[in-house]
Structure formats: C-alpha cells, structure tokens
Amino acid sequence: MEFEIETDRDTEAEAEAEAEVPKEPPKIHRLDESVVNRIAAGEVIQRPVSAVKELVENSLDAHSSSINVVVKDGGLKLIQVSDDGHGIRYDDLAILCERHTTSKLSTFEDLQSIKSMGFRGEALASMTYVAHVTVSTITKGQHHGYRVSYRDGVMEHEPKPCAAVKGTQIMVENLFYNMTARRKTLQNSANDFSNIEDLLKRFSIHHINVNFSLRKHGASGADLHTVGTSSRLDAIRSVYGVSVARTLIKIETSDNNPSSSVFKMNGFISDSNYVAKKITMVLFINDRLVDCTALKRAIEIVYAATLPKASKPFIYMSIVLPPEHVDVNVHPTKREVSLLNQEVIIAKIQSVVESKLRNSNQAQTFQEQIAEPSPSGNIGIIKDSSFSSSPPGPKSQKVPVHKMVRTDSLDPAGRLHHYLQAKPCGPLENNPSLTAVRSSVRQRRNRKETADLTSIQELIDEIDCNCHSGLLDVVRHCSYIGMADDVLALLQHDTHLYVVNVVNL
C-alpha cells in the first residue's frame, strides 16, 4: 500500500514538472495553393443548385434569349447549361477558369456601380476544383467553335475546333468527386432536382423575355419550359398555375428622397384566397436573385395580423436602387446583399403591403362546385354492377363518406324518398295479418332485414305535413357552394345566397 502511494506521488510530480516546461508554439505555414482553391470552391459551390445558379447568371450576363439546362442524378453526374449569348473569345479561353478573372470588373471602384450578376471570377474556377468542366463556345462571325476541358483552374489541352451553334455550352461532370463527405451527403438527397426547378421558375418570372427549359438527362420531354412573354402576370400563370395567378394583387411604391431612401419597387402579393403551407418569396434587387430575411419577416408579420388564414403568402418583388446603395460582396454565393437605409425601405414596403391587404379583405370569393346531373337510378346501377359476372375493370377510387356532397338540386339520390317505392294501397294491403305474414317471409329470406320500413314512411309523412313550405323549397332546389367555416355553409337558391347552420339544419 505504501509503495502504491509513493508511486502515485512520483507520477504527479513528473506531470507538474512537465507542465512547468513551456511548450514550443506551433509553426504557422502557408497552405498549398490547391488546398486554398479547394476550400474556396467549397464555399462558392455548396450544392448542385449553386452551380446551376452561377452558370445561368453568366448566361444572362451574356444577353441570352434562350437558356437550356440538362441535369443527371440531381446535378451530381451532369449539369449542362446551353445559351445563345455572345460567346467567349478564343483568346480568353486560356484564363477563363482561373480565379479572379472576369470581364465585368477592372478596379475596386467598379464594384460600387456593378450591374452584372457575376463580378468576382470565382464561379467557373470553383467548379474546376470540384468537378470536370468542359466549355464549347462560338462567337459572332466565326465559322466554327472551340471546345476545351479544365481541371483545377487550368486547361487540360489546347482548344479544339468543333461544330457549335451560337452561344456557349458548359458541362459540369462528377460534381464533388474529390469531396467524399459532401458527395455522400448529397447522394441521399432527393430534392436537388426540385431545388434546381424552383430556381429556374424564379428566374423565368423575372426575366420574362428569356426562354428557360429544364429536363432530366435521357428524358424526351422537359420538366419546365417557359416562353418569353410581355406580361409578368402571364409568366407567373404559366409557371405557378392559374390558381396562384388569380389570387395576386399588384403592388408598387417608390421614394426619391435622398435624405431617407431612394428606391422603386413593384411586384405581386397574394390575397386572402391564397392558402399554402409555406411562404414563397421571389425577390430581385437590381435584377439579382437574393434573399432578405428582414423583409421576408416583416411581410409575414403583416399577413399574420391582417389575414391570419393566409399567413403563408406568395410574393414577387423587384426592387431597383442606385448601384452605389447596394453592397453585393457580402456572401460567397451572392445570395444576400446589404442595402443602404434598409430599415426605411422595409418599413415603406411593409406599409404598402398592409394597405393593399386591408382593401382586399373586404370581399372573399368561393368557388362553386359544379357536378353533372346523374340519373336517379345511379345508385341501383352501382349496386347491381358489383354482382355482375363481367371481368373486373380498374377500381374507381372510393370517396370517403364525409366528402360525399350532393351538388345537384335536381338529383333525388340524396333524399330519403329515393329509397322508398311508392305503391298503391289496395284492399289487401290494409289487412294487418297479411302484413305480418309478409314481414315474416321477408325475415326468413333475408335475416339481415329485420325491420319494416313503414315506420320510416310514417316519419316522412309527418315531416312533410309539418315542414315549412318555403324552407323546404329552398333546401330541395338549392345549389351547394361550399363551407364558409366549420359550421356555416353557403347555399344558392334562385338569385339569393344563404348562410346555413349545418348543425341546426
């Protein structure tokens, strides 16, 4: 025991002595250039949709009128973007994919008035460090184009002549082939293609004079195809559907006071008839697709206070400011920007949105359910068809009971009278003993039928005698429009619209 205690004390003394000896600080060394470039590439190209966004923005900067995107495996295997822009000069192909090479910026002061979407010269360079990039391009006046492949920012070979159509085609293959962890993470993601589709939808409703198309590699048809139009509302209708377009309200505001803010905003917001599970906000600032969390939150607050049931709206906004009032160089992917007098601009936009919503909340529309009138014997036919010997066809989808609604006032299938056969009363029918015998025979033939229907007929006769004739006419010949809330329903009779308490009815 004494030996163990002494040993422990010796160990503690040695540890204290080692702690007193100062350790040599680690040496700082310069990272290899390839490591630096790969780290930067991982910040710029975060997902396949990041690469598509950079390439599409380059095509828009090239004044393209048609942009076609082909994707394979969500963009991991292949991203191909083709445009009909002005192309790339042959002399520029050598430094095309080097870092910080661009035709849109010469001095730092140019950044204060930048109007193009790309300016840093990092997009193509970043792709060459995490994928295999091939560029085919032709400029105006050339008889043939050139194709060249890039890797780690440099050309793998001299540009080769090739057949080409007007513009540029860029292929990005095997994205993140040298970043194992990120590639494995993205392989399990099934929403990369939908993210790319959503991105092109946003571009198409802003750049309405450009044709966009998106399809999967090997597919015969396009998943998204837009045609240039002169109307913003028509572009939204073709991309997001008629149901969204019919709920939109046009908004616009501007300010030209240098002491507070200088901006111009126009766009569309949804009214009380639009209901969705999440907000859709498409925001362009100086033609640049960006996010603005503060503006998005401010508009959400207005909707929650004004239209609680439509608190997840659809919003499209285009804000134009002087270029010197926008700092575009605040995010590696250019997803966010910083605005001068941002709080004042957001407050004015919020005020305009609130005013529009309050005016739109005065009336709410309900879509009438239209149904083709069906023959009175429809139910009997359905019952008999289930016991027929004909070969079974495709099963029709069963409608839940709580969703079965009679929308045709002339169809008696929803009334109890339909299930009772009106028979003339003869002298034998009044004999109580004969009625008892018939009831006994029916019970022997079908044991499930244990009750006579005379009580139901008596109940109907009593109701017919005591009911209000005017109300009965309204109920019998009304058109069902829909539920206004959990209890009240809307019915139309002649030229009148009635609000009916369904529970009491």
Side-chain angles (χ1 to χ4, degrees):
M1 187 68 178
E2 293 178 359
F3 175 75
E4 291 179 358
I5 294 174
E6 291 176 359
T7 304
D8 293 340
R9 289 175 179 173
D10 293 341
T11 305
E12 292 176 0
E14 292 176 0
E16 291 177 359
E18 291 179 358
E20 292 176 359
V21 178
K23 291 185 177 180
E24 191 72 19
K27 184 179 180 180
I28 298 176
H29 61 278
R30 184 178 287 103
L31 285 175
D32 187 71
E33 186 177 359
S34 62
V35 178
V36 175
N37 292 332
R38 197 158 294 169
I39 292 173
E43 294 176 352
V44 176
I45 308 299
Q46 299 175 354
R47 303 180 69 89
V49 67
S50 305
V52 175
K53 180 176 182 291
E54 296 285 357
L55 295 176
V56 170
E57 286 180 343
N58 284 344
S59 297
L60 292 172
D61 283 337
H63 306 293
S64 304
S65 60
S66 177
I67 301 175
N68 304 314
V69 182
V70 179
V71 173
K72 184 177 182 181
D73 288 353
L76 290 179
K77 288 289 183 67
L78 172 68
I79 297 174
Q80 178 180 296
V81 178
S82 308
D83 63 59
D84 60 352
H86 53 56
I88 303 169
R89 290 167 15 112
Y90 174 81
D91 296 337
D92 296 335
L93 292 175
I95 62 170
L96 175 66
C97 293
E98 290 184 8
R99 288 193 69 192
H100 308 305
T101 57
T102 178
S103 62
K104 303 155 190 174
L105 196 69
S106 298
T107 63
F108 183 77
E109 287 71 24
D110 294 341
L111 195 61
Q112 308 302 320
S113 59
I114 195 75
K115 295 183 179 179
S116 61
M117 281 169 271
F119 55 90
R120 287 192 295 244
E122 285 189 317
L124 284 175
S126 299
M127 294 177 204
T128 62
Y129 285 100
V130 295
H132 302 123
V133 177
T134 303
V135 178
S136 302
T137 184
I138 185 172
T139 57
K140 186 177 181 180
Q142 286 185 330
H143 299 291
H144 59 79
Y146 292 92
R147 178 180 291 119
V148 60
S149 300
Y150 296 88
R151 187 166 184 175
D152 293 339
V154 297
M155 292 192 304
E156 291 188 319
H157 54 79
E158 288 295 320
K160 298 179 180 179
C162 67
V165 294
K166 178 190 175 184
T168 304
Q169 181 186 86
I170 299 180
M171 287 195 302
V172 181
E173 299 175 284
N174 298 322
L175 190 61
F176 303 125
Y177 73 96
N178 52 2
M179 302 176 71
T180 309
R182 185 174 299 189
R183 188 175 179 88
K184 286 184 177 179
T185 303
L186 294 175
Q187 278 179 341
N188 299 327
S189 177
N191 60 353
D192 280 312
F193 183 82
S194 61
N195 289 340
I196 295 173
E197 185 178 15
D198 179 66
L199 174 75
L200 292 181
K201 285 181 177 179
R202 292 167 184 259
F203 275 121
S204 64
I205 66 173
H206 181 75
H207 300 278
I208 57 176
N209 57 339
V210 181
N211 302 335
F212 290 88
S213 72
L214 169 67
R215 67 178 177 89
K216 295 179 181 177
H217 183 264
S220 57
D223 292 82
L224 173 68
H225 182 72
T226 66
V227 180
T229 178
S230 59
S231 170
R232 184 93 55 201
L233 191 60
D234 289 342
I236 296 176
R237 184 181 295 109
S238 64
V239 172
Y240 289 96
V242 179
S243 59
V244 175
R246 68 158 61 102
T247 65
L248 296 184
I249 309 169
K250 184 176 179 59
I251 60 169
E252 54 185 358
T253 184
S254 61
D255 189 9
N256 199 22
N257 187 358
S259 61
S260 59
S261 61
V262 179
F263 76 98
K264 184 179 180 181
M265 183 275 293
N266 64 80
F268 292 91
I269 59 174
S270 57
D271 60 15
S272 58
N273 296 305
Y274 178 83
V275 179
K277 293 183 179 179
K278 65 177 182 178
I279 182 173
T280 301
M281 183 166 183
V282 183
L283 175 63
F284 282 82
I285 297 179
N286 287 2
D287 293 332
R288 187 187 303 274
L289 178 62
V290 295
D291 293 334
C292 184
T293 306
L295 178 59
K296 182 178 180 181
R297 180 58 184 156
I299 295 177
E300 278 187 306
I301 292 174
V302 173
Y303 269 88
T306 312
L307 305 176
K309 291 186 178 182
S311 58
K312 302 297 181 184
F314 177 93
I315 303 164
Y316 163 78
M317 280 189 186
S318 175
I319 303 176
V320 179
L321 300 93
E324 59 271 16
H325 291 184
V326 185
D327 185 2
V328 297
N329 192 28
V330 296
H331 196 277
T333 63
K334 306 190 289 287
R335 189 177 62 191
E336 297 178 5
V337 296
S338 180
L339 308 179
L340 186 65
N341 301 321
Q342 178 171 297
E343 294 80 7
V344 179
I345 294 174
I346 291 177
K348 292 188 176 182
I349 293 176
Q350 190 179 27
S351 175
V352 172
V353 171
E354 183 178 7
S355 175
K356 285 287 185 179
L357 291 181
R358 290 193 181 279
N359 294 333
S360 72
N361 199 27
Q362 295 177 356
Q364 187 170 0
T365 59
F366 297 90
Q367 298 300 322
E368 182 179 353
Q369 298 180 2
I370 302 175
E372 294 292 336
S374 58
S376 59
N378 195 20
I379 294 183
I381 295 174
I382 295 176
K383 287 185 177 181
D384 294 338
S385 64
S386 61
F387 297 98
S388 64
S389 58
S390 60
K395 293 185 177 179
S396 60
Q397 188 176 4
K398 188 175 181 180
V399 180
V401 177
H402 67 279
K403 290 186 178 181
M404 291 183 178
V405 180
R406 176 173 60 85
T407 59
D408 185 8
S409 60
L410 300 178
D411 182 12
R415 293 190 233 136
L416 196 58
H417 303 73
H418 174 68
Y419 301 97
L420 300 176
Q421 299 294 334
K423 297 180 180 179
C425 294
L428 296 178
E429 296 294 332
N430 297 326
N431 190 344
S433 60
L434 184 59
T435 304
V437 171
R438 288 181 173 176
S439 176
S440 176
V441 172
R442 278 200 301 268
Q443 291 182 16
R444 291 179 183 176
R445 293 179 178 176
N446 187 3
R447 295 183 180 274
K448 294 182 180 180
E449 186 181 352
T450 57
D452 200 348
L453 296 179
T454 55
S455 59
I456 298 178
Q457 186 63 51
E458 292 173 358
L459 179 62
I460 292 177
D461 295 338
E462 182 181 351
I463 293 175
D464 288 340
C465 294
N466 299 327
C467 70
H468 188 280
S469 59
L471 180 61
L472 182 63
D473 182 66
V474 170
V475 175
R476 278 182 173 175
H477 301 96
C478 69
S479 296
Y480 173 77
I481 296 178
M483 296 297 294
D485 57 18
D486 296 338
V487 177
L488 300 178
L490 293 177
L491 303 179
Q492 181 180 349
H493 179 254
D494 291 338
T495 59
H496 300 286
L497 185 67
Y498 295 92
V499 181
V500 182
N501 188 311
V502 179
V503 178
N504 294 343
L505 185 65

